[in-house]
Amino acid sequence: MHNRMMITGAGSGLGREIALRWARDGWRLALSDVNEGGLAETLKMVREVGGDGFTMRCDVRDYSQLIGFAQACEEKLGGIDIVVNNAGVASGGFFDELSLEDWDWQIAINLMGVVKGCKAFLPLVQKSKGKIINIASMAALMQAPGMSNYNVAKAGVVALSESLLVELRQAEVGVHVVCPSFFQTNLLDSFRGPTPNVKAQIGKLLESSPITAADIADYIHQQVAKGEFMILPHDEGRMAWKVKQQSPQAIYDEMATLAEKKRAKSKAF
């Protein structure tokens, strides 16, 4: 192992914490984000804990930028051992309120951004017999109401990861998908939704989450080492997924009730 890792969305939140977790093991990191200030800050923190690397501004919607990033990884680090497709944006709103632009934006970043990251970095990760870690969400598995575009994009990331898992086994490339529930993050800064109170509700959910992005990065580190494909960092997420696998209808009923509550709340404002 040459200990070289690429991370998209590394300027804040989970991307930054993943960088720091691997940096503590002395890894060299290729960090990208659209937020250059946050990126510079992440690199500084990475160096403080014993890692090193470089940063590059990269919008995951633009495949040519991802190809450029992969080339930079080859030039500066001689290749890549772990690819982390983490860049993502939050979204919400009931289906009838969401515009097609809301759908395009969500799928372009949260789904196609991961597809393009995998495609641009596949030659490097095949060469190193490395690993791909795609960051999805519990929304991919549970489909909470009032965020269908986010649910669909993240479910696509899970399906992509499952496809790569089986296609790349022969090439000895490991594949992992991570499905965090809500956690304290600045994902809300990028939030787009038709009603401001949806944002406030998600904010409340985030505040009530006791697990931090650093805890999640730690858990990912541990599960990747174990070779676990589906990584569910939250206890309640693991429990909910078990219930859904056994009796999906119970989850649908619960979600339908939640949808009624959510709709009543948004009407109240």
Side-chain angles (χ1 to χ4, degrees):
M1 260 315 241
H2 295 289
N3 301 359
R4 302 156 304 187
M5 176 185 253
M6 167 292 245
I7 307 169
T8 63
S12 64
L14 183 57
R16 170 178 287 173
E17 293 301 338
I18 290 171
L20 290 173
R21 181 61 194 83
W22 266 265
R24 284 189 198 103
D25 293 347
W27 280 54
R28 289 177 296 156
L29 303 161
L31 307 166
S32 80
D33 204 297
V34 287
N35 167 9
E36 291 179 88
L39 262 187
E41 186 63 22
T42 300
L43 184 58
K44 196 176 134 236
M45 293 165 83
V46 155
R47 287 181 172 149
E48 279 163 11
V49 299
D52 199 8
F54 73 96
T55 63
M56 189 166 170
R57 189 191 183 279
C58 183
D59 184 333
V60 296
R61 287 175 292 187
D62 183 348
Y63 186 59
S64 66
Q65 289 184 32
L66 281 159
I67 289 286
F69 186 35
Q71 284 165 346
C73 288
E74 205 161 15
E75 281 158 28
K76 293 175 196 283
L77 305 177
I80 280 292
D81 303 288
I82 299 186
V83 169
V84 183
N85 291 302
N86 163 74
V89 287
S91 186
F94 281 97
F95 185 76
D96 54 4
E97 308 165 333
L98 290 170
S99 69
L100 288 178
E101 286 74 28
D102 289 329
W103 276 90
D104 287 342
W105 181 75
Q106 188 52 237
I107 286 177
I109 299 171
N110 282 4
L111 175 54
M112 290 311 297
V114 176
V115 170
K116 289 170 184 174
C118 288
K119 195 157 178 61
F121 278 83
L122 186 61
L124 290 183
V125 85
Q126 278 181 311
K127 210 165 84 182
S128 65
K129 292 189 165 44
K131 299 178 187 1
I132 294 170
I133 303 174
N134 292 329
I135 309 298
S137 164
M138 276 312 291
L141 306 177
M142 304 307 292
Q143 290 86 41
M147 44 198 272
S148 56
N149 58 344
Y150 186 79
N151 293 343
V152 167
K154 291 296 194 176
V157 173
V158 171
L160 169 69
S161 304
E162 289 175 331
S163 305
L164 293 175
L165 175 73
V166 296
E167 286 188 22
L168 297 177
R169 180 178 287 177
Q170 209 182 353
E172 294 175 59
V173 171
V175 178
H176 308 269
V177 66
V178 184
C179 295
S181 310
F182 285 115
F183 56 92
Q184 284 143 344
T185 171
N186 70 340
L187 193 63
L188 274 188
D189 298 350
S190 68
F191 182 89
R192 263 166 68 158
T195 45
N197 58 296
V198 172
K199 188 167 179 167
Q201 284 170 36
I202 294 179
K204 281 203 191 80
L205 265 175
L206 291 173
E207 276 161 32
S208 67
S209 165
I211 188 169
T212 65
D215 297 329
I216 293 172
D218 227 28
Y219 187 78
I220 295 169
H221 187 271
Q222 187 191 312
Q223 296 300 303
V224 166
K226 283 185 185 166
E228 193 64 46
F229 166 67
M230 173 87 74
I231 300 174
L232 309 179
H234 298 73
D235 292 337
E236 74 272 22
R238 289 192 289 273
M239 271 162 39
W241 179 229
K242 256 199 192 102
V243 172
K244 185 171 177 179
Q245 286 173 298
Q246 282 153 10
S247 62
Q249 194 58 50
I251 296 287
Y252 301 144
D253 293 343
E254 196 179 317
M255 291 296 186
T257 308
L258 186 60
E260 281 171 46
K261 280 188 192 150
K262 248 186 172 176
R263 271 205 192 274
K265 249 194 190 150
S266 62
K267 296 254 164 33
F269 285 90

